[in-house]
Amino acid sequence: MKQICVLGAGYVGLVTSACFADLGNNITCIDIDENKIETLNRGESPIFEPGLSEMMQRNIRAGRLHFTTSYAEGLKDAEFVFVAVGTPSGADGEAELKYVRMAAEGIAKAMQHPLIIINKSTVPVGTGDWVADIITKRQDHPIPFWVVSNPEFLREGSAIYDFMNPDRVVLGSLHPEAAEKVASLHRPLRTTIQITDLRTAEMIKYASNAFLATRISFINEIATICEELGADVKEVAIGMGHDKRIGPHFLDAGLGFGGSCFPKDVRALEHMALIHGAHPQLLRAVLDINKHQRRQAIVKLRAMLNGLRDRKIGMLGLAFKPNTDDMREAPSVDIARQLMREGALVQAYDPVAMAEAARELPDVRLVENAYEVAEGVDALMVITEWNEFRQLSMKRIKESMAGDVLIDGRNIYDPDRMARLGFRYAGVGRGPQHSNGG
Ligand code: UDX
């Protein structure tokens, strides 16, 4: 059993805390938000993540998981400190490092014995060195410490599974002995552990996320071309995916990527490149195409309804992807706001993001279920591909609508079947013979 402190009770911090506790370690998780710590000590998770509350409660009961606002308490017996604080986007797309700085200063002031400090937050290349600098300068008396970068690759909605079954663990440090000790914490996960230098590890995270975002923008651009040429991007992606060099993942065309990572990390990498004199042309195109996908959905809708003023639009799904209540950078937010700016009335339903939606989109009428969304609308838009939307009676939906337009932003319905039910259907990247409206 190792003594571990985790700084930050956000997505990554909570999952890291719960999972390391479940692996038999003793964890103290620190956050500056007192209300959050109270909630957490009751065993309640402030975020929706399948399996997280249960895992937290089990480990709190077993005495292996504690939450506090006190650095002194959290660091008292710790051998390892994981930094998992937020790094939001600043005004120019750069990663905002104030929470990382606060964490480094907090550690410097409270540490009483040697520590291995592991950074899990996604931070610009070079931040590990900067953190080491802050701690050295802020310590009252010199105590040895070692900085390791350990980028986190987990996805929202499957975070526990991803933590416990990683494709790889990346550790970067100028001190291989420290990286080895962190590697030993991860041995129970039975995965490939890559040990490299600090800056390379930090770059691996950005490069991985930017590459996945590039795949999405690539297939979305192919989708736009498919629409012009009369091909079906879903079939194109299947055909491409059979090539082992390409693989089938991250080739779903749709409304583009959102969430707390891809948009922020691609922007941050672009910013890093720019300030160091590089020309990140591809990254810029990835972001442009992503914006275009959202705009394009509105362009189609506007054309099919002959304008948006006083039109009633239903939105199925609001979260940035299924199995999460997260609406950060979600396509739903941009699309709903634009529709309302153009005078449309919007009603919507999401299986779990309703509380979040009430805050983010106060002018959208939120209703109880998918069928209610369809009632009396001129057009229905699929924004998030929740499984429950795949099972709907589309006949019933069609009958309750005032109009017949169906914008399938995630390609979950069969265009021919929708046409037979009387919809004017427009998916993403499904050329004219695959839809009769797009
Ligand atoms: C992502 C990375 O996958 C993860 O490794 C990293 O740690 C954090 O960022 P997450 O933001 O939870 O995780 O979501 P993910 O499941 O990767 O999806 C990201 C976005 O891409 C979503 O908006 C999703 O709708 C979109 N997407 C994904 C597509 O549009 N098409 C695809 O084929 C796949």
Side-chain angles (χ1 to χ4, degrees):
M1 177 199 276
K2 296 287 184 191
Q3 299 286 336
I4 299 174
C5 172
V6 176
L7 289 184
Y11 229 101
V12 172
L14 278 182
V15 172
T16 302
S17 299
C19 289
F20 271 134
D22 221 52
L23 291 171
N25 300 290
N26 198 8
I27 313 294
T28 306
C29 177
I30 305 179
D31 200 283
I32 49 174
D33 182 340
E34 289 188 10
N35 290 334
K36 201 185 230 184
I37 291 298
E38 258 178 48
T39 313
L40 288 164
N41 272 322
R42 287 197 301 269
E44 291 168 29
S45 164
I47 52 174
F48 174 85
E49 181 61 39
L52 180 58
S53 297
E54 296 80 347
M55 190 181 264
M56 278 171 47
Q57 284 159 12
R58 186 163 70 235
N59 285 285
I60 290 172
R61 274 199 305 274
R64 287 190 299 260
L65 180 57
H66 320 265
F67 297 95
T68 178
T69 53
S70 155
Y71 273 71
E73 189 185 332
L75 295 186
K76 196 157 116 327
D77 303 311
E79 185 183 347
F80 301 92
V81 184
F82 282 88
V83 178
V85 296
T87 50
S89 268
D92 295 326
E94 80 283 10
E96 171 72 80
L97 290 177
K98 68 174 177 220
Y99 300 114
V100 177
R101 175 191 280 280
M102 280 163 66
E105 290 172 350
I107 294 171
K109 279 200 206 109
M111 70 187 283
Q112 299 293 337
H113 57 264
L115 284 175
I116 297 179
I117 297 161
I118 307 122
N119 186 39
K120 263 199 172 309
S121 305
T122 303
V123 291
V125 177
T127 302
D129 299 328
W130 178 72
V131 163
D133 230 44
I134 295 177
I135 297 177
T136 308
K137 286 193 185 125
R138 292 295 175 112
Q139 281 179 329
D140 292 335
H141 49 277
I143 304 172
F145 67 92
W146 303 271
V147 175
V148 177
S149 163
N150 169 214
E152 183 50 70
F153 300 103
L154 54 82
R155 292 162 299 175
E156 294 185 18
S158 55
I160 302 272
Y161 177 87
D162 290 350
F163 188 97
M164 293 298 196
N165 303 276
D167 290 344
R168 78 308 207 180
V169 168
V170 174
L171 300 172
S173 185
L174 300 174
H175 310 281
E177 355 39 274
E180 268 308 329
K181 286 194 178 161
V182 183
S184 68
L185 290 179
H186 292 87
R187 297 266 187 250
L189 304 178
R190 294 165 194 271
T191 187
T192 306
I193 299 180
Q194 180 187 6
I195 296 185
T196 179
D197 65 85
L198 203 48
R199 286 172 180 241
T200 303
E202 289 168 342
M203 189 61 179
I204 287 172
K205 169 71 188 202
Y206 280 107
S208 302
N209 274 358
F211 183 74
L212 292 169
T214 303
R215 278 180 75 106
I216 299 170
S217 281
F218 176 84
I219 200 67
N220 281 333
E221 181 153 289
I222 295 294
T224 305
I225 304 171
C226 282
E227 279 177 20
E228 297 303 325
L229 301 182
D232 184 344
V233 74
K234 270 191 99 151
E235 296 289 326
V236 171
I238 292 169
M240 287 169 63
H242 286 308
D243 186 325
K244 287 195 186 64
R245 294 167 302 174
I246 297 175
H249 304 293
F250 275 74
L251 286 178
D252 290 330
L255 297 172
F257 54 81
S260 64
C261 289
F262 285 174
K264 169 173 80 76
D265 292 351
V266 180
R267 282 198 297 265
L269 185 56
E270 183 195 16
H271 185 263
M272 260 183 272
L274 281 173
I275 59 172
H276 289 96
H279 299 286
Q281 307 164 57
L282 180 59
L283 300 180
R284 200 165 289 165
V286 167
L287 292 168
D288 280 351
I289 294 167
N290 203 48
K291 273 199 204 122
H292 173 86
Q293 291 308 106
R294 299 171 187 203
R295 276 200 302 265
Q296 211 42 36
I298 295 172
V299 168
K300 282 180 194 164
L301 190 62
R302 199 188 288 125
M304 291 167 84
L305 290 176
N306 291 320
L308 291 169
R309 178 149 299 282
D310 297 328
R311 302 290 190 213
K312 206 169 165 189
I313 315 294
M315 286 177 44
L316 288 177
L318 295 164
F320 84 96
K321 65 170 193 177
N323 299 323
T324 176
D325 64 349
D326 198 338
M327 284 180 59
R328 282 176 285 180
E329 310 233 14
S332 61
V333 177
D334 280 349
I335 293 175
R337 287 190 183 145
Q338 183 59 29
L339 294 177
M340 292 186 294
R341 263 196 295 275
E342 294 191 35
L345 305 166
V346 180
Q347 56 190 39
Y349 163 75
D350 187 282
V352 303
M354 299 298 258
E356 201 52 37
R359 274 192 295 274
E360 276 289 327
L361 295 169
D363 296 328
V364 167
R365 180 171 168 251
L366 298 173
V367 300
E368 295 289 311
N369 59 53
Y371 291 107
E372 218 182 304
V373 172
E375 273 168 32
V377 296
D378 298 295
L380 191 63
M381 300 180 91
V382 179
I383 305 287
T384 316
E385 67 279 31
W386 284 95
N387 268 340
E388 67 172 69
F389 300 152
R390 298 174 199 269
Q391 317 297 335
L392 296 172
S393 160
M394 294 308 284
K395 186 167 177 287
R396 179 174 159 197
I397 294 264
K398 171 74 185 52
E399 282 162 4
S400 70
M401 285 172 60
D404 58 4
V405 171
L406 177 58
I407 304 278
D408 184 359
R410 299 291 179 179
N411 287 343
I412 63 174
Y413 300 122
D414 175 49
D416 297 333
R417 186 165 167 263
M418 293 305 116
R420 279 199 302 278
L421 287 172
F423 285 106
R424 279 191 294 147
Y425 174 91
V428 179
R430 315 183 97 180
Q433 73 262 45
H434 301 281
S435 68
N436 64 358

